[in-house]
Amino acid sequence: MNDLVINVYGIEYDSGHEIVPIYLSQQKSNKEAIHLLMLETKIYSNGDDVDMEDGSVYHFAWIRNLSRLLSSQISKHHGFTRLCDRCLCHFTTVNSFERHRHDCTNINKCRVVLPDEKDKIMKFKNYKYKEPVPFAVYADIECMLEPIADKSNSLNTTLYQRHVPDSIAYYLQCNFDDSISKFRAHRGKDCVEWFTKQLQELAQVVEFYLKRIVSMEFLNFKQRNEFYSAKICHVCEKPFTPQDAKHRHHCHFTGKYRGAAHQWCNLNYKNSHTIPVVFHNLSGYDSHFLIRALIRDYIF
């Protein structure tokens, strides 16, 4: 409203207290941009002689000179440098700075960090996502068109019919035990309430398997030979070094041995505790039936 350009920067502690852009204004103005530094303060409370984090409080400080704040971060030259407030690149000449600033404003929505020679190849690192989810639900709902007797309403439209849920079906897929997988369906005007109760029951069933501790099976002669002779990690598929300690990776639901793994790979390869529910056309049509039932049965 005041024709101001305000950019917000923060401190990234994982990168050695590096100043990074958090919000870059899309407003264009002839006025000079205002730069703010957002500082975070943790709030702790003492509960049972243990400091517990309750949240964070944020303060904003005015950056009077962006070059003075970031000069030591981007170059070894500690004097004045021309900085692009979007990508934090520095320039020595006015002409090159103006050309870059025009292109960067129109193209870059945030800071662009180019990879170095060591990290120039994108690699998959979240190996725990290689593991399929143990449980998944696939569902669909069908409705009937019901005529409306009372067509009076406050809107400038005429109501002739309404959609009434008539039937619903779902399939529970278990990744490690086919006997747990099942298909169920229900017909009637109470089908949505029936489905929400089914989800609650499924959550209790799944909780039993997620909390159950299954010990690893005893390795036979062939498995022991494969473990001691393994040169590649079963999880990250990288070679073992002489300093690495091999760990026996196994399925936590069945106890079956899977292969040799690094210590960190074995610890980080965790099972998902989230049950994905894949619902046909949920966002476009069916969601309001389910949300209405959830609010009525579980919130109020």
Side-chain angles (χ1 to χ4, degrees), residues 38-40 54 70 90 135 167 191 214 228 235 244 274 285-286:
M38 188 175 71
L39 303 174
E40 180 182 4
D54 284 349
L70 298 176
H90 65 284
F135 298 94
S167 61
C191 61
V214 179
Y228 290 115
V235 177
D244 292 333
T274 302
Y285 179 74
D286 297 330

Side-chain angles (χ1 to χ4, degrees), residues 227-240:
F227 173 76
Y228 290 115
S229 61
K231 298 181 180 180
I232 303 296
C233 177
H234 167 72
V235 177
C236 66
E237 299 179 357
K238 294 181 180 180
F240 291 105

Side-chain angles (χ1 to χ4, degrees), residues 176 212-219 223 249-258:
F176 59 90
R212 186 181 61 172
I213 300 176
V214 179
S215 302
M216 184 178 63
E217 62 182 6
F218 290 99
L219 274 63
Q223 290 173 331
H249 178 235
H250 72 284
C251 177
H252 293 271
F253 294 108
T254 61
K256 293 183 178 180
Y257 170 73
R258 289 178 172 176

Side-chain angles (χ1 to χ4, degrees), residues 140-154:
D140 191 14
I141 186 174
E142 299 295 337
C143 296
M144 298 290 290
L145 294 177
E146 184 179 87
I148 297 178
D150 186 9
K151 299 180 175 58
S152 61
N153 61 87
S154 59

